[in-house]
């Protein structure tokens, strides 16, 4: 089983100095501003390199969010909105929309975008862990955890931050509910790919493998469905990936469904299941070709059907189908049904779920004196003025991401890259 993934680009932003207006000069208030700037800079400095530690990234995010919390909720523990929520302008690009900035005078907008960026980092981190020619189970567990952490961060954006935003999300932007849902489902589906690989390695019952693969295929389908109303110029490349993964795991599900039916001497039904696996495999192969030629924001990675994991599935169902057809002719003489058999709908083990992110408490730097010393704007910049300012200022500088050799690189006919044996 392979770990081959589609990855969108990181989001771009600008340096924030946190130049608050002060009612009165206060050392504690100045320290809050300095620490906000420093922790944000450190976090952004870590993002371009996916080889870092997941624990270190999560700590850096928590350190920044603990300080940013004072701009979102009043630090007195009342849960009331902070008077400073609209004190500063924040600028972010979107992973599917190029480097044109969106500007909002809203700390929730900043928090949501930062969470998305860190979640994309965890997705890229998982890809980086797969560059080894052969992965052991510790590597696989780390990939699994990274993807579940990413899913948990997207879940925070979906459930906590999106309902709080006042301005309408940009269509196809990273705070568009459809995009957030697709990211979350993709992370969960990719984590389940690791579960499928583990089940294959341990030679679990074919019915369990079939059910796991079916659940994984459904998640990829749901992620694709979330993006279905977006313009193909924006999400077309991403959707091709989700569609090919859906058909790939449907092929896996029917392959092991066929093996399970054969073990029950239901040879005719097994043949029909394996023929259905071949149909889905052929659809996935066609989508691989489309994916390789579809333009989009994600880096080109070549055709996934050139990777050995793709070819190994074809070998698996073809050998089993030949065996079934041979034995049905000599032994069983069973009729092959017109319709494919029903797949197991719910796996009993191995289902992945997002790791819940524990929101940090307010930083202790938010003393009552520090909070009281910072002034808040009496009026906020409206969306029209923000968009006009974004056009005048031009595009943001794209993130200079570290390229990792071996991550989804162009595969040759005998390539074994990124394979979990």
């Amino acid at each position: 089983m392979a770990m081959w993934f589609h990855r969108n680009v990181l989001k771009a932003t600008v340096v924030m100095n946190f130049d608050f207006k002060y009612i009165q000069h206060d050392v504690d208030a100045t320290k809050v501003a300095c620490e906000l700037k420093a922790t944000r800079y450190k976090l952004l400095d870590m993002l371009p390199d996916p080889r870092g530690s997941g624990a270190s990234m999560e700590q850096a995010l928590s350190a920044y969010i603990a300080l940013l919390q004072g701009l979102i909720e009043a630090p007195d523990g009342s849960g009331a909105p902070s008077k400073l929520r609209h004190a500063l302008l924040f600028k972010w690009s979107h992973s599917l929309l190029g480097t044109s900035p969106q500007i909002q005078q809203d700390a929730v907008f900043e928090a949501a975008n930062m969470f998305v960026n860190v979640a994309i980092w965890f997705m890229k981190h998982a890809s980086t862990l797969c560059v080894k020619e052969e992965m052991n189970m510790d590597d696989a567990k780390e990939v699994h955890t990274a993807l579940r952490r990413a899913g948990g961060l997207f879940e925070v954006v979906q459930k906590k931050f999106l309902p709080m935003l006042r301005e309408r999300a940009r269509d196809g932007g990273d705070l568009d509910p459809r995009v957030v849902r697709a990211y979350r489902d993709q992370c969960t589906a990719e984590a389940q790919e690791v579960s499928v690989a583990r089940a294959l390695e341990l030679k679990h019952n074919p019915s369990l493998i079939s059910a796991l693969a079916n659940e994984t295929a459904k998640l990829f389908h749901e992620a694709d469905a979330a993006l279905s109303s977006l313009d193909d110029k924006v999400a077309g490349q991403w959707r091709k990936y989700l569609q090919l993964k859906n058909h790939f795991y449907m092929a896996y599900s029917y392959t092991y469904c066929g093996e399970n039916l054969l073990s029950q001497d239901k040879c005719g039904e097994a043949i029909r299941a394996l023929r259905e696996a071949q149909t889905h495999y052929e659809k996935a192969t066609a989508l691989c070709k489309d994916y390789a030629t579809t333009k989009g924001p994600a880096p080109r990675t070549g055709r996934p059907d050139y990777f050995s994991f793709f070819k190994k599935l074809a070998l698996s169902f073809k050998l089993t189908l030949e065996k079934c057809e041979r034995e049905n002719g000599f032994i069983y003489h069973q009729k092959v049904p017109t319709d494919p058999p029903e797949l197991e709908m719910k796996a009993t083990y191995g289902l992945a779920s997002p790791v819940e992110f524990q929101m940090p408490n307010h930083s202790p730097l938010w003393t009552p004196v520090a909070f009281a010393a910072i002034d808040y704007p009496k009026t906020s910049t409206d969306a029209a003025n923000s968009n006009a300012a974004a056009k005048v200022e031009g595009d943001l500088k794209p993130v200079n991401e570290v390229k990792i050799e071996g991550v989804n690189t162009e595969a040759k006919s005998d390539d074994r890259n990124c394979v979990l044996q």
Side-chain angles (χ1 to χ4, degrees), residues 337-353:
T338 303
D339 297 323
E342 289 188 9
L343 296 170
E344 292 281 346
M345 295 304 295
K346 192 72 174 178
T348 51
Y349 303 101
L351 296 179
S353 59

Side-chain angles (χ1 to χ4, degrees), residues 254 257-258 261 269-274 276 337 339-344:
Y254 276 111
C257 174
L261 289 167
E269 291 181 52
I271 291 171
R272 183 64 186 88
L274 291 159
E276 191 69 13
D339 297 323
E342 289 188 9
L343 296 170
E344 292 281 346

Side-chain angles (χ1 to χ4, degrees), residues 70 72 74 179 241 259 364 378 383 418:
I72 298 173
V179 173
Y241 164 78
E259 288 196 11
K378 305 303 184 286
C418 295

Side-chain angles (χ1 to χ4, degrees), residues 186 220 223-224 227 238-246:
Q186 178 184 341
F220 279 116
D224 174 54
L227 300 172
W238 190 6
R239 291 192 65 200
K240 294 292 185 187
Y241 164 78
L242 298 170
Q243 290 164 9
L244 75 86
K245 279 288 184 85
N246 166 249

Side-chain angles (χ1 to χ4, degrees), residues 16 18 32-43 64:
M16 287 293 299
F18 293 93
V32 167
C34 290
E35 285 300 308
L36 275 165
K37 179 180 178 180
T39 54
R40 188 179 193 267
Y41 181 86
K42 178 182 178 181
L43 182 55
Y64 177 57

Side-chain angles (χ1 to χ4, degrees), residues 310-373:
F310 208 90
K311 297 176 180 179
K312 285 169 70 176
L313 172 58
L315 183 62
S316 178
F317 72 72
K318 285 177 182 177
L319 289 175
T320 308
L321 179 57
E322 289 172 2
K323 177 183 177 182
C324 286
E325 289 177 334
R326 184 172 59 252
E327 294 192 6
N328 199 46
F330 281 103
I331 303 171
Y332 295 102
H333 306 293
Q334 294 175 0
K335 182 180 178 181
V336 177
T338 303
D339 297 323
E342 289 188 9
L343 296 170
E344 292 281 346
M345 295 304 295
K346 192 72 174 178
T348 51
Y349 303 101
L351 296 179
S353 59
V355 174
E356 183 180 357
F357 178 81
Q358 296 296 324
M359 291 293 289
N361 295 323
H362 286 77
S363 167
L365 294 178
W366 279 112
T367 63
V369 174
F371 188 66

Side-chain angles (χ1 to χ4, degrees), residues 184-245:
R184 190 203 67 182
D185 286 348
Q186 178 184 341
C187 291
T188 307
E190 289 175 349
Q192 280 189 195
E193 289 189 70
V194 182
S195 299
V196 174
R198 177 68 170 166
L200 287 166
E201 183 186 16
L202 296 180
K203 295 180 170 53
H204 278 299
N205 189 297
S207 64
L208 173 61
I209 297 173
S210 176
L212 269 175
N214 186 30
E215 293 285 349
T216 304
K218 286 196 297 183
L219 280 168
F220 279 116
H221 174 73
E222 288 168 8
D224 174 54
L227 300 172
S228 61
S229 57
L230 291 179
D231 191 328
D232 268 355
K233 292 179 180 178
V234 173
Q237 181 194 37
W238 190 6
R239 291 192 65 200
K240 294 292 185 187
Y241 164 78
L242 298 170
Q243 290 164 9
L244 75 86
K245 279 288 184 85

Side-chain angles (χ1 to χ4, degrees), residues 83-113:
K83 67 177 183 177
L84 304 176
R85 174 174 170 176
H86 304 288
L88 300 168
L89 282 169
F90 295 95
K91 304 174 187 178
W92 283 93
S93 69
H94 296 281
S95 59
L96 298 178
L97 302 178
T99 54
S100 175
Q102 184 177 9
I103 302 176
Q104 286 194 27
Q105 192 171 344
D106 190 346
V108 176
F109 175 75
E110 161 72 1
N113 278 288

